[in-house]
Amino acid sequence: MRKMMVAVVGRPNVGKSTLFNLIAGKQISIVKDTPGVTRDRIYADAEWLNNKFTLIDTGGIEPDSQDIILSQMRAQAQLAIDTADVIIFVVDVRTGLVDADYEVANMLRKSGKPVVLCVNKVDSFQKFGNDIYEFYNLGLGDPFGVSSVNQLGVGDMLDEVIKHFPVETAEVDEDDSVKVALIGKPNVGKSSVINKLLGQNRVIVSNIAGTTRDAIDTKIVHNGKEYTFIDTAGLRRKGKIDDDIERYSVIRTVAAVDRADICLVLIDATQGITEGDARIAGIAHESGKGVIICVNKWDAVPDKNDKTMKEFQTKLMEKFSYMPYAQYLFISAETGQRLNKIFDLVNQVRESQTLRIRTGVLNDIMTRATAMKQPPSDKGKRLKLFYMTQTAVEPPTFVIFVNDQQLMHFSYTRYIENQIREAFGFPGTPLKFLIRERQAGEDE
Ligand code: GDP
Ligand code: GDP
C-alpha cells in the first residue's frame, strides 16, 4: 500500500511547527543525509502504531497583515486538500476562534477530505478543558485538545488520524499500468514532454476521474503496454514569495512521487544543474523508487560534438553520486528526439525493481566476493558473512547475516552491492541492505 499523506494546516503561531516536530521528531534525526539537498522540515516520515505516513507542513512564510494571512491560509488549505489523505487542522485554545479559522474550516468541510481538529496549547485540561467546546462551532466534529509543548493528547489525536487510513486488505490494484511521475522544477519542459508523448502515442484516458489529487494522470499506451504518467506540470502557483513557491513545488512533488513506481527527473540542458534540480532529485532518491534523469532541451545545446553528452552525463553523475543507480537519457520535447526511449528505459527499470534473485545464486556471489576481498576486521575480530537472501522487491531488499553488525562497514556493503550489480545490473533502482547478526553455527 502506498504511504498516506497527512497535512498540517493552521494559522500562524497556533503551534503547527511544534506539533510537526513532535510527531516527526524522532524520525527526522535519523533521516539519512542526501548530500546537496538542504533538508528543512517541509515533509518528514512519521509513524504511529505501525502506520507509516508522510507528514507535510503546509505553513510557509508567516504573513503579518490580516489580508495576507487569509489568502495564505486559503492557499495552504487548498494545497492540503489537493495532496493529503488526512488533514490535521490546528487551532489555538488561547486565542479562541477567529474569522480565518471559520473560513478554512468551511473550505476543508466542503472538500470532503477527512479532517482532524486539533485544539492546541491545552497545557492543562483543568484550566482549558471547557474552552475546547467552542470549537464544535467549526462543524468539523470532535475537537481534540492537545498540548504540543507538554506532549499531551497527541496520541489520542493520532489515533483519530489513522482511523481515516484505509484498512489494509488484500487490496487488488486493478490498474496494473506502470506509474511514472514526471517531476522537475518549473520550466524544464514537463508539459512539453507530456504533450509530445500524447501526440505520438495512443491515449486511453486523460485526467482520470476520481483523482482529486494535485497531479494530472495521463494514461498512454505504447507498444501495447499501459503507462500512467503522473504529471506535476501546470500546477505552479503564482505565488509572490520564492520560498512559498519552493514549498508548494516540494509538497506536490512528494505527493506525485508517493504514487509512482518510477520518477522521471527532468533537467534543463541549457541551464546546467541547479539547487532546485538537486532538491527534486533528492526527493526521488529518498523515496526508494526508480529514478531516470532526463536531460531535456538537448536540441538547444549549441556546438555539440561526440563528447558533449558524455561530459554532461559525467557532471550529472558527480552531482548525483549518492544515487549511482540512476539512469540517464538526453531528450528533446521540441523535436521529439529519443522521447520514445523513455518507455524502453521505464520497462528496464521496472524489471529491475521487481527482479528476484535466488538465494543459491546470491550466496555464490557472496562467497566469491569475500574470497576476492577480505572482509574488514577490528581489534582482532574479523567480519564474517554467513548468508544472504532477498526478502523483498520494489526496491529489491537483501538481508545479510553476519557475525557482528558493527564490523559491516558501509563500504563493504557497497562492495557487495557492486558485486550484485555486476552480475544483475539492477539499472535504475536502489538496492536496500539489512544487516542481521547470527552466531556461527546457528541453523547450520
Ligand atoms: P506555527 O506558526 O503554527 O508553526 O507555530 P509554532 O509551532 O512556531 O508555535 C508558535 C508559538 O506557540 C511558539 O512560541 C510555541 O512555543 C508556542 N506553542 C506551540 N505549541 C504550544 C503548546 O502546546 N502550548 C503552549 N503554551 N505554547 C505552544
Ligand atoms: P514545465 O514548467 O516544466 O511544464 O515546462 P514547459 O513544458 O512549460 O516548458 C517551458 C519552456 O521550455 C517552454 O517555453 C517550452 O517551449 C520550452 N521547452 C520545453 N521543452 C523543450 C525542448 O526540448 N527544447 C527547447 N528548445 N525548448 C523546450
Side-chain angles (χ1 to χ4, degrees), residues 8-21 57 59-60 62 90 92-94 119-124 128 146-152:
V8 181
V9 176
R11 273 186 294 121
N13 277 318
V14 293
K16 293 183 301 299
S17 321
T18 313
L19 180 69
F20 181 91
N21 291 339
D57 180 3
E62 303 287 73
V90 187
D92 182 341
V93 79
R94 315 272 173 125
V119 182
N120 192 33
K121 307 197 187 177
V122 183
D123 299 346
S124 141
F128 297 104
V146 160
S147 169
S148 300
V149 162
N150 293 348
Q151 312 200 358
L152 291 173

Side-chain angles (χ1 to χ4, degrees), residues 296-338:
N296 188 35
K297 309 195 189 181
W298 196 240
D299 63 284
V301 173
D303 308 324
K304 288 191 286 272
N305 59 38
D306 55 344
K307 294 198 191 68
T308 316
M309 195 183 285
K310 185 102 192 118
E311 284 165 4
F312 206 108
Q313 182 166 337
T314 304
K315 253 190 270 167
L316 284 171
M317 288 170 81
E318 267 165 33
K319 186 84 184 176
F320 298 135
S321 59
Y322 56 86
M323 44 176 178
Y325 56 87
Q327 297 297 293
Y328 292 87
L329 193 59
F330 292 76
I331 59 172
S332 165
E334 182 91 7
T335 67
Q337 193 185 19
R338 279 186 291 272

Side-chain angles (χ1 to χ4, degrees), residues 158-399:
L158 289 175
D159 283 346
E160 182 65 19
V161 168
I162 62 174
K163 267 189 209 154
H164 296 288
F165 289 0
V167 184
E168 203 159 356
T169 48
E171 185 187 349
V172 194
D173 189 0
E174 291 181 356
D175 179 6
D176 54 6
S177 65
V178 186
K179 318 269 181 317
V180 183
L182 198 57
I183 58 178
K185 62 181 183 179
N187 284 319
V188 291
K190 295 182 294 298
S191 328
S192 308
V193 167
I194 272 288
N195 287 335
K196 196 77 175 182
L197 287 174
L198 290 180
Q200 290 178 344
N201 293 278
R202 188 159 71 85
V203 182
I204 320 182
V205 201
S206 210
N207 304 351
I208 295 164
T211 27
T212 52
R213 297 186 155 255
D214 193 12
I216 299 149
D217 287 355
T218 310
K219 230 182 212 180
I220 291 179
V221 182
H222 181 81
N223 285 343
K225 225 179 137 182
E226 287 178 16
Y227 302 82
T228 303
F229 283 84
I230 304 163
D231 174 14
T232 53
L235 298 169
R236 170 175 353 149
R237 202 176 75 94
K238 286 167 224 63
K240 291 165 214 79
I241 318 156
D242 282 353
D243 247 25
D244 251 15
I245 301 172
E246 171 75 8
R247 175 175 293 262
Y248 282 64
S249 124
V250 165
I251 292 176
R252 284 173 166 148
T253 303
V254 171
V257 166
D258 177 55
R259 298 168 53 223
D261 301 312
I262 294 169
C263 307
L264 284 191
V265 182
L266 242 63
I267 286 176
D268 184 338
T270 63
Q271 284 199 356
I273 314 147
T274 67
E275 268 308 302
D277 295 322
R279 177 155 216 172
I280 303 261
I283 295 172
H285 171 61
E286 293 191 346
S287 72
K289 310 279 171 98
V291 178
I292 300 172
I293 312 245
C294 288
V295 182
N296 188 35
K297 309 195 189 181
W298 196 240
D299 63 284
V301 173
D303 308 324
K304 288 191 286 272
N305 59 38
D306 55 344
K307 294 198 191 68
T308 316
M309 195 183 285
K310 185 102 192 118
E311 284 165 4
F312 206 108
Q313 182 166 337
T314 304
K315 253 190 270 167
L316 284 171
M317 288 170 81
E318 267 165 33
K319 186 84 184 176
F320 298 135
S321 59
Y322 56 86
M323 44 176 178
Y325 56 87
Q327 297 297 293
Y328 292 87
L329 193 59
F330 292 76
I331 59 172
S332 165
E334 182 91 7
T335 67
Q337 193 185 19
R338 279 186 291 272
L339 225 49
N340 276 335
K341 280 255 191 311
I342 288 177
F343 297 101
D344 299 338
L345 214 44
V346 162
N347 291 343
Q348 252 185 49
V349 173
R350 195 71 197 127
E351 217 169 276
S352 26
Q353 288 180 304
T354 51
L355 187 63
R356 278 186 192 273
I357 310 295
R358 289 206 335 271
T359 302
V361 179
L362 281 175
N363 285 290
D364 287 347
I365 291 178
M366 192 186 77
T367 309
R368 196 156 18 98
T370 49
M372 280 192 314
K373 182 171 168 180
Q374 199 176 34
S377 65
D378 187 33
K379 299 194 189 78
K381 189 174 186 189
R382 187 165 298 285
L383 171 70
K384 281 201 192 84
L385 285 73
F386 297 123
Y387 185 75
M388 172 159 66
T389 186
Q390 183 177 353
T391 54
V393 292
E394 297 184 73
T397 304
F398 303 89
V399 177

